[in-house]
Amino acid sequence: MSHSKKLTLPTFICVGAQRAGTTWLYHCLKEHPEIYMPAHKELRFFNYNYDEGIESYSRNFDDAGEREVIGEITPDYYRQQYALLRIKEQIPEVKLIFILRNPIDRAFSQYQLYCGTEYKEMSFRETYSTHPDLIDWGKYGEHLEFIYSHFPKENVLVIEYDLLKGAPEEFLRQVFEFLNVSQDFKPTNLTKTYNKVIYPGAQKLLNFLGLQFVIDWIKESPIGGWIRAKQKKKNFDIKKQDFDYLVKSFSEDVKKLESIMNADFSHWLKR
């Protein structure tokens, strides 16, 4: 679809996955002098705000200036086919970044976010049984198959969360190479940790009230360390029966992913 030259649209979008380091990536990319990232990480235009029109979306990138590499991160997109189709229609040449995290770990991390909200009394089993999206979000083979059927493979960077955790500089180098920007840049956020779960219910309320800075201050302070240590003792471990159930839930999709990527992901399904 052709657009007026006045419209500025992303040249790349990180489409997922949730709970896979996308907030960290946003802050690192935002620092790169050759890359423009909007003021807010998750614009959610192609899934929830599409009725506002492409011109409205474009205004998020008005301050890009001379920068030609423009990005957006909304980690819901990868599992919402209608959002991906809208992206393809509006920005057919866009590059996509898709971060893969062990689907069992990812599901449990999502559960930890649910704790402290309206689901705080629910066990992990009760949560994934009543909220199948916890499992669906981790079916990367299925989602990647759809992405590859609509976007050229050379325009899609699939990269692992394990690399982000173990070698963040190499992770960013690969991302920068994919985006064709300087690979030597080292952001100050390189070793920072974002979105660690600290009293999720309180986080949700403070976010709603526009007090995210309070959360950030707590996380950086000794208080944050104390809260994390306290919460780590609160039964935040996957029980064997839940692990076994999730292994069965993901096994076929992991095989599909291995076939698509020509890589081994069997370690995801082992304790």
Side-chain angles (χ1 to χ4, degrees):
M1 180 178 289
S2 61
H3 297 293
S4 165
K5 289 184 179 179
K6 293 181 180 179
L7 285 184
T8 302
L9 297 174
T11 59
F12 75 92
I13 299 176
C14 178
V15 296
Q18 287 195 342
R19 308 303 294 163
T22 57
T23 300
W24 173 86
L25 180 61
Y26 167 79
H27 286 285
C28 289
L29 292 174
K30 205 169 192 301
E31 286 191 60
H32 198 295
E34 298 174 60
I35 299 173
Y36 179 78
M37 300 296 288
H40 301 288
K41 176 197 164 198
E42 298 184 26
L43 299 180
R44 298 184 176 182
F45 172 73
F46 291 102
N47 48 7
Y48 303 130
N49 300 309
Y50 197 65
D51 289 344
E52 295 178 4
I54 195 70
E55 292 80 9
S56 172
Y57 179 61
S58 172
R59 285 195 285 273
N60 289 287
F61 312 103
D62 281 348
D63 295 331
E66 298 299 314
R67 282 167 289 191
E68 297 181 356
V69 180
I70 300 167
E72 196 241 296
I73 295 178
T74 298
D76 292 346
Y77 288 158
Y78 75 100
R79 71 181 196 93
Q80 296 170 320
Q81 294 184 358
Y82 64 92
L84 292 167
L85 291 174
R86 288 168 174 173
I87 292 171
K88 179 65 176 179
E89 179 185 4
Q90 298 287 356
I91 325 174
E93 303 301 320
V94 73
K95 293 182 175 181
L96 302 182
I97 299 172
F98 188 8
I99 306 172
L100 306 183
R101 181 179 182 179
N102 179 317
I104 297 176
D105 292 345
R106 198 223 65 80
F108 196 67
S109 179
Q110 191 81 42
Y111 164 68
Q112 288 177 291
L113 265 191
Y114 281 154
C115 292
T117 65
E118 58 266 37
Y119 311 110
K120 62 183 176 181
E121 302 301 327
M122 296 173 67
S123 68
F124 184 36
R125 171 174 287 194
E126 289 170 332
T127 305
Y128 66 67
S129 296
T130 56
H131 295 79
D133 53 354
L134 245 68
I135 294 175
D136 177 69
W137 282 332
K139 292 191 173 180
Y140 309 130
E142 175 185 318
H143 301 309
L144 188 58
E145 185 176 56
F146 184 83
I147 289 171
Y148 278 162
S149 70
H150 291 84
F151 296 87
K153 284 190 177 183
E154 61 269 22
N155 281 12
V156 182
L157 175 65
V158 182
I159 190 165
E160 291 189 58
Y161 178 78
D162 286 348
L163 181 62
L164 185 159
K165 297 300 288 184
E169 288 192 30
E170 174 58 19
F171 181 97
L172 278 182
R173 190 201 65 75
Q174 292 186 25
V175 171
F176 292 157
E177 180 181 28
F178 176 66
L179 298 178
N180 197 29
V181 296
S182 171
Q183 300 169 37
D184 297 326
F185 179 73
K186 300 291 187 293
T188 61
N189 287 283
L190 186 67
T191 58
K192 285 191 176 182
T193 300
Y194 291 91
N195 284 348
K196 276 287 186 182
V197 180
I198 293 182
Y199 292 156
Q203 286 187 211
K204 187 175 181 181
L205 176 61
L206 289 170
N207 268 319
F208 178 77
L209 295 174
L211 299 175
Q212 174 66 38
F213 69 91
V214 176
I215 300 169
D216 294 338
W217 178 82
I218 291 173
K219 287 182 177 181
E220 294 294 331
S221 74
I223 298 171
W226 176 80
I227 294 173
R228 278 189 290 270
K230 183 179 178 184
Q231 285 196 275
K232 196 170 183 180
K233 297 177 182 178
K234 285 176 55 182
N235 197 30
F236 276 169
D237 192 18
I238 304 177
K239 295 177 180 177
K240 184 181 183 303
Q241 58 187 3
D242 293 325
F243 186 87
D244 291 345
Y245 177 84
L246 292 178
V247 165
K248 290 179 181 178
S249 299
F250 289 122
S251 59
E252 286 303 314
D253 189 78
V254 168
K255 289 177 184 176
K256 177 179 284 192
L257 179 65
E258 289 177 330
S259 176
I260 293 172
M261 295 293 297
N262 192 27
D264 180 14
F265 295 98
S266 60
H267 56 284
W268 282 351
L269 306 180
K270 298 174 183 175
R271 276 286 197 181

